[in-house]
Amino acid sequence: MNAKTPSRKSGPGSADQAVAGASSNPVPVPVPGDKLERARQLLDGGELSLTELSAAVGLSASHLQRRFSARFGLSPAEYLAQRKLGSLRSALREGNDVSAALYDAGYGSPSRVYEAGAARLGMTPARYRSGGAGEQIRWSVTRTALGLALVATTTRGICMIELGDDAAALEARLGEEFPRAALERVDAGRDEFLAPRVQAVADTLGGGAGEVPVDLIGTAFQKKVWDALMKIPPGQTRSYEEVARQIGSPRGARAVAQACANNKVAVVVPCHRVVRGDGSLGGYRWGLPLKETLLRRERAA
């Protein structure tokens, strides 16, 4: 159930996949004396604290933290966490023993994977290794002001809101997204758990306001973007560049656009409020006419 990101085993250059999850811009080609690139290489090779890393490259800790975040879209600690998580994903997908995969990725003990943010896997490592088998997802299709909406939820919150005109096509997309999970359809959302969540989504899609619990599974960078989107007031927009600056990654506009494209929770995570710098709409997973409709409706409210 996790957002799919490229990954490979740890070693020199292996954290490229961490940056790829955070930015679609290519990693800068190192030049002699490039201290930030040297810091990245050191993190690829081992687990260093910020103090150790700053001493190794000859920059103060605060200066390194700021410049590294601006260059790569992640702090050194976040970069290291992404590298380790990428190594874990790779080992699990290759069928390695769970315990061995955890230790090889550098977690030290099974509990450390959770302390370090393994919730980004969206499930236990064992379930991730088996392709999500055993994950319970309840879902229903309901008619809303925006047409048909498929609402899928885990016990943690809503993991998918898919919009369209064909209920069968919506169900097919759910199956593609979670191919090994246990999918349970609840007609009209009629159970005590799903019913209020379906209603909350329908109200939100109809232009109402309310709390909709979500289960957002993605990279650290994607979560930063999605969190920032949910803070944009209705009726307002931000450019991809503005969102990138807001989350501390001024060169990450293209990566912000990619995170918006990877958002699978329509409207509740309002990627429709992000536009190009010239004010044009840009892209939208559910089609530009719907993006235009949503913005027009919010501005008129």
Side-chain angles (χ1 to χ4, degrees), residues 237 267-275 284 290-291 294-295 298:
T237 59
V267 184
V268 172
V269 178
C271 52
H272 61 278
R273 295 176 190 158
V274 188
V275 298
Y284 192 55
L290 179 56
K291 185 173 186 176
L294 290 168
L295 291 174
E298 290 183 352

Side-chain angles (χ1 to χ4, degrees), residues 87-103:
S87 297
L88 175 61
R89 285 191 180 119
S90 178
L92 293 174
R93 282 301 190 204
E94 290 170 8
N96 292 0
D97 175 77
V98 171
S99 296
L102 291 172
Y103 284 102

Side-chain angles (χ1 to χ4, degrees), residues 247-291:
I247 64 174
S249 183
R251 298 183 184 181
R254 292 174 72 190
V256 167
Q258 223 174 29
C260 290
N262 285 324
N263 169 35
K264 297 173 181 64
V265 181
V267 184
V268 172
V269 178
C271 52
H272 61 278
R273 295 176 190 158
V274 188
V275 298
R276 291 175 176 160
D278 62 3
S280 59
L281 293 183
Y284 192 55
R285 177 185 173 95
W286 294 279
L288 291 182
L290 179 56
K291 185 173 186 176

Side-chain angles (χ1 to χ4, degrees), residues 31 53 173-174 196 232 237 249 296:
V31 297
L53 193 63
R173 287 180 212 165
L174 176 67
I232 302 174
T237 59
S249 183
R296 184 170 61 247

